[in-house]
C-alpha cells in the first residue's frame, strides 16, 4: 500500500517512520537544526510545490532516511492512511 502526499508523490506505507506537523515541530531548535542539516545534504523532497508545507513525513530508505515536505495537513495524511489501511499512524 502507498500513501499519497501530494503533487504525485507516493510513499510505501511500511517505510513511514512518522508524520509531523510543521507548525509545532519547528518550535524546537534541535528540530530546526536537523531539518536545515538534511536540507543542505539534499535529503529533503518538496512535495508541497509552491505552497507552504504543513507536514513533514520521514521515511526509511535502505540505510538512511527520506524527508518529504507536504502541503497536506497531518490530519489529512492520517485520515488517508486510515482509509488505505495504515494502522497506528
Amino acid at each position: 500500500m502507498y500513501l499519497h502526499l501530494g503533487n504525485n508523490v507516493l510513499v510505501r506505507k511500511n517505510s513511514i517512520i512518522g508524520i509531523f506537523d510543521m507548525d509545532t515541530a519547528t518550535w524546537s531548535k534541535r528540530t530546526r537544526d536537523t531539518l536545515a542539516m538534511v536540507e543542505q545534504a539534499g535529503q529533503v523532497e518538496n512535495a508541497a510545490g509552491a505552497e507552504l508545507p504543513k507536514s513533514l513525513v520521514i521515511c526509511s530508505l535502505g540505510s538512511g532516511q527520506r524527508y518529504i515536505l507536504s502541503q497536506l495537513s497531518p490530519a489529512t495524511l492520517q485520515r488517508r492512511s486510515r482509509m488505505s489501511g495504515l494502522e497506528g499512524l
Side-chain angles (χ1 to χ4, degrees), residues 35-79:
L35 190 53
M37 181 180 67
V38 295
E39 280 180 316
Q40 289 175 354
Q43 294 177 299
V44 176
E45 182 177 344
N46 186 1
E51 294 186 40
L52 190 64
K54 294 180 183 172
S55 59
L56 170 66
V57 180
I58 301 176
C59 302
S60 64
L61 181 65
S63 62
Q65 294 178 341
R66 179 178 175 198
Y67 301 84
I68 305 165
L69 299 173
S70 175
Q71 81 273 19
L72 302 173
S73 72
T76 299
L77 293 174
Q78 185 177 22
R79 189 171 41 252

Side-chain angles (χ1 to χ4, degrees), residues 18-46:
I19 300 173
F20 303 92
D21 186 328
M22 288 295 287
D23 286 338
T24 57
T26 55
W27 282 50
S28 166
K29 180 177 177 0
R30 179 175 283 169
T31 305
R32 287 192 311 270
D33 291 346
T34 301
L35 190 53
M37 181 180 67
V38 295
E39 280 180 316
Q40 289 175 354
Q43 294 177 299
V44 176
E45 182 177 344
N46 186 1

Side-chain angles (χ1 to χ4, degrees), residues 7-19:
N7 288 334
N8 297 319
V9 176
L10 299 169
V11 295
R12 295 180 66 83
K13 73 174 188 172
N14 59 355
S15 72
I16 297 175
I17 296 171
I19 300 173

